[in-house]
Each structure stands twice: as structure tokens, then as C-alpha cells.
Amino acid sequence: MNDYLLFMIPFILLWLTSRKAYQFAMVLFAKIKLKALHQSLDELYYSFEQVVYFYNQTTHVKAIKNMQRKDIHLRFEYHPFIFTELTGIYIELKKDTTYTLAYLPIDQFMLPYLDQKMQENTLDYHSSKRISIAKLFHPNTKEKLIDEVYNQITVGRYS
């Protein structure tokens, strides 16, 4: 029995500090907090206004000018290695080489509902940040982020 515990404890610790466990914990926390506020993760409105773009539609990079939406991928930036925390998302074009198209810092991801709840003192900053991170892990949000960057670079913001 003791050998089994000595064998399992490192694996349990590794899982608890893994990125998948972090994602699970953020989503679970968000669902519990939002349920208390009579809101759901699916219904939260968000804004990508603070995305930092490295290219625009006037770029002369051939791979970017001819890119397809399916070639754009997200790369989540975590820091540090142990007890990870999401710090930002890179939006990248993967062709023969990888081009970083844009970056979204987590602290700049805006959810007006959470800002309102913080103003009302019904939600603290850390809870708001956790819910924002959970929203970024949501599949629909990921797709919308890719769409936003693709449209911004190919069509332009106000076209």
C-alpha cells in the first residue's frame, strides 16, 4: 500500500499542476460563481478591443495576404511552469513558418458584466479574472477570437 502511495503522489501532483487541471479549475470556479450571480458562461458578452495586432491588411507578407482562416491557431501563454497561470493568447498563422498575427493579454480581456459586478462590490478582481480566463477557454470564444483577427487583417476593422 505504501509503495502504491509513493508511486501515485507524484502523478497526482503533476496532474494538479497541469494546464488541463488549471483549465478545469477555472471553468468550474466560473460556473459556480456565475450561478450565484444568476448568469452563465455562455451568455457573457466580451470584447476583443485590446488585441495587439502585429500585421494589418496592408502587409506585404505573402503568406499573410493569402492566408485562410483554417490556418490560424491559438497558442496559450502560461507562466510559470509549476502552478501555471494563463497570461496571454498568441494568435498565429501556421504555414511553412509561423507568423504571430496578434496577442491578447489576459488582463486586457474585457467583460462588461464582470466590470459592473466589481463596481457593485459583488465580485472581486481575482474572481473576475478567473471568470474571464474561463470565458477564453470556451470553444465559442476561441472561434470568435480567430474570426476577429482574421477579419481584422483581411478585411479591416471598419470595412
Side-chain angles (χ1 to χ4, degrees):
M1 180 70 173
N2 286 342
D3 292 337
Y4 179 73
L5 286 176
L6 288 174
F7 180 74
M8 288 304 293
I9 289 174
F11 289 108
I12 292 170
L13 287 174
L14 281 173
W15 183 80
L16 288 174
T17 59
S18 73
R19 292 176 181 174
K20 287 291 184 192
Y22 173 75
Q23 288 179 7
F24 177 76
M26 291 296 113
V27 171
L28 183 63
F29 176 85
K31 286 181 179 180
I32 292 169
K33 274 289 193 189
L34 289 171
K35 186 175 184 180
L37 296 170
H38 307 290
Q39 185 64 266
S40 76
L41 199 57
D42 294 333
E43 296 171 356
L44 285 178
Y45 172 76
Y46 51 89
S47 171
F48 293 127
E49 290 178 10
Q50 299 301 324
V51 173
V52 178
Y53 291 91
F54 301 118
Y55 298 94
N56 61 26
Q57 74 184 105
T58 62
T59 187
H60 296 292
V61 178
K62 189 174 183 176
I64 294 174
K65 286 185 83 73
N66 299 327
M67 72 178 170
Q68 300 294 315
R69 190 209 174 281
K70 64 181 172 67
D71 297 326
I72 299 176
H73 303 282
L74 302 178
R75 180 172 54 92
F76 292 87
E77 177 187 39
Y78 294 92
H79 186 78
F81 180 72
I82 296 178
F83 301 113
T84 63
E85 184 175 346
L86 184 65
T87 56
I89 300 176
Y90 288 98
I91 301 92
E92 299 177 331
L93 173 65
K94 294 193 180 195
K95 289 271 192 170
D96 297 333
T97 60
T98 299
Y99 297 93
T100 301
L101 302 173
Y103 179 75
L104 175 62
I106 295 308
D107 291 335
Q108 301 296 315
F109 182 58
M110 299 164 57
L111 286 93
Y113 177 79
L114 299 180
D115 292 339
Q116 176 188 354
K117 291 301 174 187
M118 285 176 28
Q119 288 291 329
E120 296 170 359
N121 290 325
T122 55
L123 196 64
D124 62 273
Y125 172 76
H126 295 294
S127 297
S128 174
K129 186 175 178 182
R130 286 177 169 178
I131 294 169
S132 296
I133 289 170
K135 184 66 177 173
L136 282 169
F137 288 136
H138 195 278
N140 290 345
T141 309
K142 292 178 192 178
E143 291 300 315
K144 297 270 194 215
L145 179 57
I146 291 171
D147 289 342
E148 175 73 19
V149 171
Y150 177 76
N151 291 335
Q152 176 68 24
I153 293 175
T154 58
V155 178
R157 177 166 287 186
Y158 302 108
S159 298

